Amino acid sequence: MLTNTADSLEGCLDCLLQALAQNNTETSEKIQKSGILQVFASLLTPQSSCTAKVANIIAEVAKNEFMRNSCVDAGLIPPLVQLLNCKDQEVLLQTGRALGNICYDSHEGRSAVDHAGGAQIVVDHLRLLCSKTDPANEKLLTVFCGMLMNYSNENDTLQSQLINMGVIPTLVKLLGIHCQNAALTEMCLVAFGNLAELESSKEQFAYTNIAEEIVKLFKKQIEHDKKEMIFEVLAPLAENDIIKLQLVEAGLVECLLEIVQKTVDSDKEDDIAELKTASDLMVLLLLGDESMQKLFEGGKGSVFQRVLSWIPSNNHQLQLAGALAIANFARNDGNCIHMVDNGIVQKLMDLLDRHVEDGNVTVQHAALSALRNLAIPVVNKAKMLSAGVAEAVLKFLRSEMPPVQFKLLGTLRMLIDAQAEAAEQLGKNVKLVERLVEWCEAKDHAGVMGESNRLLSALIRHSKSKDVIRTIVQSGGIKHLATMATSEHVIMQNEALIALALIAALELVTAEKDLENAKLVQILHRLLSDERSAPEIKYNSMVLICALMGSEPLHKEVQNLAFLEVVSKLRSHENKTVAQQASLTEQRLAVES
């Protein structure tokens, strides 16, 4: 009698599978209503000959979103997870499918599998089966990878759990051994893409030979979709500096340059996308100090030379990547000096020139970033000024784009550092000074506002010129320098105080009214009274007070506020320079009172 029951059960299950094959949704709805799912829980035993078929039916019904919770509620997860311990390959395959489908986009499914400890068993299977390359085993490995994917997709907690279980080295090994198997390779890549977003995964990836394996795989790809898939893994991995270097050493850069060469003149959508991704990734690799220096090779590197050739290209994406790459190469003095001596400045100025009118903002921003970085070493400033960089940059004064304004200001500020003649020339440029004063009020763009203030102050500090001070006074810049003295950044406070002291020393009469209106004396009183003010702020505030005494109205204001009291306290300041200046200031205040 028993065999008969088993046979008829087999028959029923076959009927269900056939019905599911013909119309999965409708059949699943009937199964849901009939209560058969609860019966399945008792049929999922390692001893039963029907187990694989039952698991297959569950895998099929779980393709429908509305069935996943029903499978969990029917108590199918614990017996399915138990089946992961059996040896039968067909049972393992169907069980892996069933669990993977139940987990797909289902919080309840994932929680139940997590609760039953399913992930660890699957990770252990992958580790044990990793080296077998027969087709049946590769199929099982693909299903198990897919199951872990569905289990952890977009769920940081479960991804961390898998990483802690050591799944990363196993997946990397899988990729190396089974690189001929397209389905399995694809599963590994999706799993990597999934896990690589997490910081903790990058440290683990760095200890494997992922860079080598993935570059090897990349070289074999012809189809756009496959390359795209690998790019999606490479981008998050390349954020890690150790992996950047490994990718460079594995020859990724040569692949990227080849893609650029093949796609640069194409107008096919896929090629345009590939060009963008490859050149962006190239720039990302240059963000690591070691990988960047390796590719620079003292400015002789073929990669550096190829990137240089992107700047004059007619392709905006390549111009952008080329300029960003130069900005990344320009991260230490040695590289900057070499590049300026080898004519990079002219190339960047030519590029900027092509974007004055049609104004591609990203290219403008990138080229200005590169020029700003190149202007940092002292020896480059005069060379860049005589090459006409200041004039080239000033063409963008009209720009209404805050990122461009920000870089323009930073570039000019770097260029005039300790360059008196250039600072004087720019400081007498009324158009520039008026624009700076306008930008000093750009409340919505703190970066532009800060840089405008700093450049105003720098024009005075480096030129020490009466003409420059007069231009700034006439354009209404004084009040901004007074406000800058109250900045939360010590460096900016200091720059403002030094500029104001020069104004007071050189052009006090011209600036007197504006200094009064800006309530500078009150600001200085506050700075000196505030315990938190840095020593250099206290020192420069006292120097400035002494300089202001030459003006009658300002002198009166100083007398009206109890400066003597504040200053005499500072005579015992722990900083010797501050204490000395306090003594001098006190004498000056006492004499003048």
Side-chain angles (χ1 to χ4, degrees):
M1 187 67 204
L2 196 75
T3 53
N4 202 356
T5 315
D7 288 349
S8 61
L9 179 59
E10 288 265 0
C12 288
L13 296 172
D14 286 337
C15 280
L16 278 175
L17 280 168
Q18 252 173 328
L20 284 162
Q22 276 161 1
N23 189 333
N24 190 320
T25 312
E26 200 180 307
T27 310
S28 294
E29 281 172 351
K30 287 178 180 166
I31 289 174
Q32 189 182 30
K33 290 193 181 102
S34 68
I36 304 176
L37 286 177
Q38 280 76 358
V39 180
F40 283 167
S42 57
L43 295 175
L44 291 170
T45 60
Q47 296 79 22
S48 160
S49 57
C50 306
T51 303
K53 273 184 188 161
V54 175
N56 187 359
I57 292 170
I58 296 170
E60 288 301 318
V61 300
K63 286 178 177 173
N64 301 288
E65 191 181 345
F66 66 87
M67 290 298 288
R68 291 174 200 144
N69 282 1
S70 302
C71 290
V72 176
D73 297 340
L76 298 179
I77 302 291
L80 282 169
V81 168
Q82 280 310 304
L83 287 176
L84 289 172
N85 293 308
C86 83
K87 299 279 178 278
D88 184 304
Q89 200 146 16
E90 182 60 20
V91 172
L92 284 174
L93 186 76
Q94 298 303 346
T95 304
R97 283 186 62 231
L99 288 169
N101 289 354
I102 292 171
C103 284
Y104 185 80
D105 249 355
S106 160
H107 172 68
E108 290 74 14
R110 292 170 181 182
S111 290
V113 173
D114 178 23
H115 197 68
Q120 184 68 64
I121 306 173
V122 174
V123 170
D124 292 342
H125 272 303
L126 286 178
R127 202 174 289 127
L128 288 168
L129 301 172
C130 178
S131 310
K132 296 184 182 166
T133 53
D134 59 285
N137 189 60
E138 286 193 323
K139 197 172 171 188
L140 184 57
L141 287 169
T142 308
V143 165
F144 279 161
C145 276
M147 186 229 136
L148 290 180
M149 250 291 308
N150 287 353
Y151 172 69
S152 66
N153 189 30
E154 290 184 353
N155 183 315
D156 288 1
T157 314
L158 296 179
Q159 286 173 356
S160 299
Q161 181 195 72
L162 292 180
I163 291 166
N164 293 337
M165 288 174 182
V167 76
I168 287 175
T170 306
L171 288 172
V172 175
K173 201 167 155 195
L174 270 181
L175 187 69
I177 295 170
H178 303 274
C179 54
Q180 301 305 327
N181 183 313
L184 184 49
T185 306
E186 208 162 295
M187 269 305 173
C188 282
L189 286 174
V190 176
F192 288 149
N194 209 343
L195 297 169
E197 297 292 341
L198 281 189
E199 251 342 281
S200 57
S201 78
K202 290 172 193 162
E203 290 153 26
Q204 288 223 7
F205 275 119
Y207 285 110
T208 68
N209 61 339
I210 180 78
E212 202 181 312
E213 293 297 354
I214 217 154
V215 172
K216 201 160 64 184
L217 186 69
F218 193 69
K219 285 177 178 166
K220 289 187 198 151
Q221 303 311 320
I222 299 146
E223 294 167 45
H224 169 74
D225 292 350
K226 288 277 161 56
K227 283 189 207 163
E228 200 63 24
M229 219 169 165
I230 298 176
F231 273 141
E232 278 172 20
V233 179
L234 283 170
L237 284 179
E239 285 168 10
N240 176 289
D241 282 0
I242 298 169
I243 301 176
K244 279 188 184 80
L245 190 60
Q246 292 169 351
L247 288 168
V248 168
E249 285 169 345
L252 177 62
V253 172
E254 289 69 17
C255 299
L256 297 176
L257 290 172
E258 199 178 313
I259 287 179
V260 168
Q261 206 170 350
K262 279 184 187 158
T263 55
V264 65
D265 297 319
S266 166
D267 46 16
K268 290 207 321 237
E269 213 171 297
D270 283 357
D271 288 346
I272 293 169
E274 247 173 68
L275 174 77
K276 176 171 171 31
T277 313
S279 53
D280 283 349
L281 191 51
M282 184 75 204
V283 172
L284 181 57
L285 291 175
L286 293 173
L287 277 173
D289 287 338
E290 283 186 72
S291 47
M292 178 271 287
Q293 216 44 48
K294 190 177 175 65
L295 293 170
F296 189 67
E297 290 181 66
K300 305 276 184 290
S302 60
V303 174
F304 172 64
Q305 296 301 332
R306 286 281 284 282
V307 167
L308 271 188
S309 73
W310 293 357
I311 293 175
S313 107
N314 287 320
N315 182 302
H316 280 185
Q317 172 58 34
L318 272 198
Q319 295 170 357
L320 170 65
L324 287 172
I326 297 303
N328 284 343
F329 279 125
R331 284 211 314 280
N332 62 51
D333 282 8
N335 292 4
C336 289
I337 293 165
H338 183 282
M339 286 192 276
V340 168
D341 288 347
N342 284 276
I344 185 68
V345 171
Q346 196 53 53
K347 284 191 172 70
L348 289 167
M349 287 185 356
D350 293 344
L351 175 61
L352 274 176
D353 242 5
R354 294 163 70 179
H355 288 280
V356 174
E357 293 314 320
D358 76 332
N360 180 312
V361 175
T362 47
V363 176
Q364 292 172 358
H365 180 260
L368 288 168
S369 296
L371 287 170
R372 180 196 175 281
N373 288 2
L374 290 166
I376 293 172
V378 178
V379 293
N380 281 357
K381 297 181 198 292
K383 292 175 188 167
M384 289 174 73
L385 284 164
S386 58
V389 173
E391 291 74 12
V393 169
L394 284 172
K395 289 178 188 166
F396 294 91
L397 259 189
R398 296 197 303 272
S399 172
E400 291 304 331
M401 292 297 177
V404 174
Q405 296 167 352
F406 180 72
K407 286 295 175 190
L408 171 152
L409 293 163
T411 308
L412 290 175
R413 191 164 62 78
M414 285 302 158
L415 280 171
I416 62 165
D417 192 5
Q419 308 296 310
E421 200 180 315
E424 177 158 14
Q425 210 179 341
L426 286 172
K428 291 192 292 195
N429 179 332
V430 177
K431 271 206 177 108
L432 168 64
V433 174
E434 284 178 348
R435 195 70 162 132
L436 291 184
V437 170
E438 183 190 328
W439 285 342
C440 282
E441 291 170 10
K443 298 273 188 290
D444 298 343
H445 301 286
V448 173
M449 199 160 98
E451 277 293 344
S452 304
N453 277 304
R454 293 189 76 184
L455 184 52
L456 262 188
S457 148
L459 291 169
I460 296 170
R461 287 182 297 116
H462 299 303
S463 71
K464 300 185 176 57
S465 146
K466 291 182 168 217
D467 288 340
V468 170
I469 293 170
R470 280 197 286 269
T471 309
I472 289 174
V473 172
Q474 278 151 15
S475 306
I478 296 294
K479 61 173 187 279
H480 297 300
L481 291 171
T483 308
M484 183 182 169
T486 63
S487 161
E488 59 204 29
H489 304 290
V490 174
I491 190 160
M492 284 175 69
Q493 281 185 298
N494 218 17
E495 288 172 357
L497 291 169
I498 294 168
L500 288 163
L502 283 164
I503 293 170
L506 298 170
E507 276 293 327
L508 186 54
V509 178
T510 316
E512 186 176 70
K513 200 88 204 100
D514 288 355
L515 292 170
E516 242 186 299
N517 292 337
K519 306 230 178 329
L520 179 61
V521 174
Q522 287 90 318
I523 289 172
L524 294 173
H525 191 271
R526 275 208 307 280
L527 289 176
L528 287 172
S529 313
D530 189 344
E531 306 265 298
R532 292 162 308 182
S533 295
E536 59 269 40
I537 302 302
K538 297 206 152 132
Y539 174 83
N540 283 321
S541 295
M542 289 188 282
V543 170
L544 182 48
I545 282 294
C546 294
L548 294 176
M549 303 288 272
S551 145
E552 201 179 323
L554 292 168
H555 185 173
K556 270 207 182 97
E557 286 192 24
V558 172
Q559 284 176 317
N560 292 338
L561 286 165
F563 268 93
L564 257 174
E565 200 180 305
V566 182
V567 171
S568 54
K569 274 188 195 156
L570 291 174
R571 278 201 338 234
S572 53
H573 196 278
E574 56 190 359
N575 182 304
K576 289 283 172 286
T577 323
V578 172
Q580 273 170 333
Q581 185 59 41
S583 293
L584 292 171
T585 309
E586 190 182 31
Q587 284 165 21
R588 182 79 194 270
L589 287 166
V591 169
E592 303 273 345
S593 61

